[in-house]
């Protein structure tokens, strides 16, 4: 998308170079409307200005979830600097709190509700970043008349609108809108990645216009994605490629309680019919992987044979081995793990089958497009009138509910892979992807494919599997912000 040139403006409207008048009343950042706050962290007293519940669209559908909290270090209003950053140069940290594709409230500077530790917004402020924390609609949002208002692609459209607000107000507030760093975990990690891959794609223009988003770009500079639940239309086959033959599971039930995502594990064993579904899905994955034309860092093709073996699998195992070696060097005792072979202080091999047993199956097949329409992702792909829909050909053909299928165009809007390296989108330059070796919410193959695609298209990628870490995020914030500092 070409940049829109401002030729005339007022507080109510501006005229763009294409002759279209865009109503932007209410989208101007007001630097006078704030609350001065102070918070203690890591032995320092952090003074900042809090601009909270700022609408980032003119025509919100669910007003509580289409707002943003902006936090700016007080030093930047006094001509000061923090860790080398100044008002004009400080990156803008954009964390979302979406989980399970549920509605995500705007983050508030403080502590993480789960861990009790400083949250990413607080750590970002302490490092001198400006924080812009958007809320976003999710799959369970409804309007007053009972219509569903947060189905795909609502969440990514909201995040894009928030980014557009920041670009539109770049001259009016501290922070560099050309250095926006998104951050998210799980579904939020997928949205962070999608935001970074699909910037300025015209596919989203109609949705953004309907909300009255600010004109201009929704491009970001860098992506931080923890355990992204992405590439959903291929995630079922990837999951069975990893877990086929392992029939005991601990299923995660997800619900909302007081605006917080609640998770509960339920143990069980796949039925004979579910094992048959797994057997049907697994062989579909090699064809998909081979269609991508991926290569490793040496230019060697990453492929799979019909049994699911090959250089792509070897690459995934190599990431696990690198993680084990890192853990060993940090003093962790790996001697009791049957899938790890250690010789003279070096991890020399990973047994893939034994690793799969260690990781443990969590989801029933199909893991994402459930045949009975019960998965959260079925709920994501509903529409204003239909709560749950299928989104893969396999599940439509095998549906136990005669479920309808969402349009392919909607599915496209939610998959990062569809935009990386395309002419219709600007992909962020820098990427940091973290997925723990104990994560079983989606196959490791999904993040490995994402990392390889990004590397193959010339992007800067820091991809690593932290040892024994389950499905989670924001567990290494000092390292995250050190990475952000390093890519300046």
């Amino acid at each position: 998308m070409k940049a829109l040139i401002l030729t005339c403006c007022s507080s109510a409207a501006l005229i763009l170079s294409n002759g279209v008048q865009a109503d932007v009343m209410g989208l101007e950042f007001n630097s006078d409307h704030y609350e001065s706050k102070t918070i203690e962290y890591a032995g320092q007293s952090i003074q900042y200005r809090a601009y909270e519940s700022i609408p980032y669209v003119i025509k919100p559908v669910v007003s509580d979830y289409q707002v943003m909290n902006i936090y700016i270090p007080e030093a930047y209003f006094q001509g000061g600097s923090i860790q080398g950053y100044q008002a004009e140069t400080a990156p803008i940290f954009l964390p979302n709190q979406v989980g399970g594709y549920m509605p995500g409230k705007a983050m508030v500077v403080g502590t993480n509700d789960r861990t009790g530790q400083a949250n990413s917004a607080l750590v970002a402020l302490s490092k001198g970043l400006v924080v812009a924390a958007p809320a976003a609609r999710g799959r369970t949002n409804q309007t007053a008349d009972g219509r569903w208002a947060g189905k795909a692609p609502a969440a990514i459209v909201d995040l894009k609108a928030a980014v557009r607000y920041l670009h539109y107000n770049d001259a009016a507030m501290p922070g560099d809108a050309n250095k926006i760093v998104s951050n998210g975990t799980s579904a939020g990690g997928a949205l962070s990645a999608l935001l970074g891959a699909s910037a300025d794609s015209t596919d989203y223009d109609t949705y953004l216009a309907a909300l009255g988003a600010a004109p201009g770009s929704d491009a970001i500079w860098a992506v931080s994605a923890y355990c992204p639940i992405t590439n959903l239309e291929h995630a079922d086959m990837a999951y069975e490629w990893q877990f086929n033959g392992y029939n005991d599971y601990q299923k995660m039930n997800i619900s909302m309680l007081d605006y917080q995502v609640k998770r509960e594990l339920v143990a069980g064993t796949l039925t004979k019919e579910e094992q048959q579904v797994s057997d049907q899905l697994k062989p579909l994955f090699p064809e998909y992987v081979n269609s991508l034309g991926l290569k490793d860092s040496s230019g060697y093709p990453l492929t799979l044979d019909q049994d699911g073996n090959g250089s792509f699998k070897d690459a995934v195992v190599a990431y696990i081995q690198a993680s084990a070696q890192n853990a060993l060097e940090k003093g962790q005792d790996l001697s009791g793990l049957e899938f790890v072979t250690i010789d003279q202080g070096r991890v020399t091999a990973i047994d893939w089958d034994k690793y799969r047993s260690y990781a443990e199956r969590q989801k029933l097949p199909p893991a994402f497009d459930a045949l009975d329409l019960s998965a959260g992702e079925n709920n994501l792909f509903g529409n204003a009138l239909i709560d749950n829909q299928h989104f893969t050909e396999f599940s439509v053909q095998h549906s136990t509910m005669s479920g309808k299928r969402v349009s392919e165009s909607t599915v496209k809007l939610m998959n990062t892979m569809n935009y990386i390296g395309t002419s219709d989108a600007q992909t962020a330059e820098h990427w940091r992807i973290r997925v723990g070796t104990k994560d079983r919410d989606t196959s490791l193959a999904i993040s490995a494919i994402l990392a390889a695609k990004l590397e193959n298209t010339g992007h800067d990628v820091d991809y690593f599997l932290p040892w024994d870490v389950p499905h989670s995020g924001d567990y290494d914030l000092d390292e995250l912000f050190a990475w952000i500092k390093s890519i300046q």
Side-chain angles (χ1 to χ4, degrees):
M1 179 187 295
K2 293 182 179 179
L4 298 174
I5 301 172
L6 182 65
T7 58
C8 178
C9 65
S10 71
S11 61
L14 54 79
I15 306 299
L16 306 175
S17 59
N18 60 6
V20 175
Q21 178 170 300
D23 183 5
V24 292
M25 175 67 79
L27 291 184
E28 296 85 2
F29 177 74
N30 188 334
S31 61
D32 295 328
H33 289 181
Y34 66 91
E35 182 179 354
S36 292
K37 295 188 176 183
T38 301
I39 190 168
E40 302 295 322
Y41 171 67
Q44 60 178 311
S45 181
I46 303 169
Q47 295 180 321
Y48 63 99
R49 296 187 183 185
Y51 302 83
E52 296 183 321
S53 299
I54 301 172
Y56 53 70
V57 293
I58 296 295
K59 297 176 283 187
V61 179
V62 184
S63 58
D64 288 350
Y65 285 94
Q66 292 174 295
V67 295
M68 176 163 50
N69 295 336
I70 296 177
Y71 302 104
I72 304 174
E74 179 63 34
Y76 294 153
F77 295 95
Q78 311 303 327
S81 63
I82 301 174
Q83 296 193 14
Y85 296 130
Q86 297 175 323
E88 298 80 11
T89 63
I92 299 176
F93 185 63
L94 190 91
N96 76 72
Q97 294 198 109
V98 175
Y101 288 102
M102 301 286 244
K105 285 284 190 179
M107 184 178 289
V108 176
V109 171
T111 57
N112 185 301
D113 291 338
R114 287 191 187 180
T115 66
Q117 302 298 311
N119 64 19
S120 61
L122 174 52
V123 178
L125 272 182
S126 76
K127 305 292 185 181
L129 280 71
V130 170
V131 176
R137 289 171 293 164
R139 56 188 173 88
T140 58
N141 280 129
Q142 288 179 277
T143 56
D145 63 1
R147 289 175 176 259
W148 300 108
K151 305 300 186 183
I156 185 61
V157 173
D158 286 352
L159 295 183
K160 284 176 172 289
V163 172
R164 285 192 174 195
Y165 177 96
L166 296 173
H167 279 287
Y168 178 69
N169 287 288
D170 192 24
M173 57 180 282
D176 185 354
N178 292 315
K179 289 189 175 180
I180 297 173
V181 184
S182 67
N183 182 59
T185 297
S186 191
L191 291 169
S192 180
L194 182 56
L195 189 64
S198 65
D200 296 342
S201 171
T202 55
D203 287 354
Y204 302 89
D205 283 355
T206 300
Y207 300 95
L208 288 161
L211 293 175
S217 176
D218 48 76
I220 64 173
W221 176 58
V223 171
S224 167
Y226 290 94
C227 52
I229 301 293
T230 187
N231 203 349
L232 296 174
E233 63 267 43
H234 302 106
D236 289 332
M237 58 182 74
Y239 203 84
E240 298 316 315
W241 170 77
Q242 179 165 334
F243 287 107
N244 177 260
Y246 290 81
N247 301 324
D248 293 334
Y249 62 82
Q250 290 195 51
K251 181 181 178 181
M252 181 73 73
N253 286 341
I254 300 178
S255 59
M256 286 289 284
L257 180 65
D258 296 331
Y259 300 109
Q260 299 295 321
V261 177
K262 180 183 178 182
R263 295 172 171 84
E264 181 182 15
L265 285 174
V266 178
T269 302
L270 297 186
T271 65
K272 180 179 179 181
E273 291 76 14
E274 289 164 344
Q275 293 175 40
Q276 290 174 342
V277 171
S278 176
D279 291 341
Q280 291 173 303
L281 282 167
K282 178 187 174 182
L284 302 179
F285 188 60
E287 181 179 356
Y288 170 63
V289 169
N290 296 341
S291 74
L292 297 173
L294 300 175
K295 297 180 180 180
D296 65 15
S297 58
S298 300
Y300 189 79
L302 298 174
T303 60
L304 292 172
D305 63 22
Q306 62 182 4
D307 296 321
N309 298 312
S311 56
F312 176 80
K313 175 183 169 182
D314 294 342
V316 173
V317 171
Y319 282 121
I320 300 170
Q321 184 171 333
S323 177
Q325 181 64 41
N326 179 266
L328 190 66
E329 291 173 359
K330 289 183 176 180
Q332 294 191 44
D333 182 7
L334 309 184
S335 60
L337 299 174
E338 293 185 355
F339 69 93
V340 180
T341 300
I342 301 172
D343 183 20
Q344 297 183 355
R346 302 294 302 176
V347 177
T348 58
I350 296 291
D351 186 305
W352 173 248
D353 287 332
K354 291 180 179 178
Y355 164 77
R356 295 192 297 157
S357 178
Y358 147 88
E360 296 183 302
R361 171 187 286 274
Q362 179 175 289
K363 297 184 176 182
L364 282 60
F368 298 92
D369 191 354
L371 303 185
D372 63 357
L373 294 172
S374 63
E377 289 72 21
N378 294 122
N379 195 227
L380 168 68
F381 285 112
N383 59 35
L385 300 177
I386 301 174
D387 198 14
N388 305 289
Q389 294 187 113
H390 289 301
F391 54 93
T392 66
E393 180 63 25
F394 180 91
S395 291
V396 169
Q397 294 297 324
H398 297 83
S399 180
T400 61
M401 302 292 289
S402 300
K404 293 185 177 182
R405 183 178 183 179
V406 69
S407 68
E408 291 185 7
S409 61
T410 300
V411 177
K412 177 189 177 184
L413 294 170
M414 298 303 294
N415 190 345
T416 301
M417 293 291 293
N418 292 325
Y419 295 96
I420 297 170
T422 64
S423 60
D424 184 46
Q426 295 186 50
T427 301
E429 181 179 356
H430 305 284
W431 293 69
R432 184 179 192 267
I433 304 168
R434 293 292 183 269
V435 181
T437 60
K438 193 66 172 177
D439 197 315
R440 65 268 179 85
D441 278 54
T442 193
S443 171
L444 292 183
I446 294 298
S447 57
I449 287 171
L450 174 60
K453 178 68 172 179
L454 287 163
E455 290 173 347
N456 290 175
T457 50
H459 297 89
D460 171 38
V461 184
D462 180 347
Y463 175 54
F464 188 69
L465 310 181
W467 185 254
D468 207 36
V469 171
H471 192 71
S472 55
D474 289 359
Y475 41 75
D476 58 350
L477 291 176
D478 284 340
E479 294 178 19
L480 169 60
F481 289 103
W483 171 77
I484 294 173
K485 190 73 172 179
S486 74
I487 60 176
Q488 299 294 311

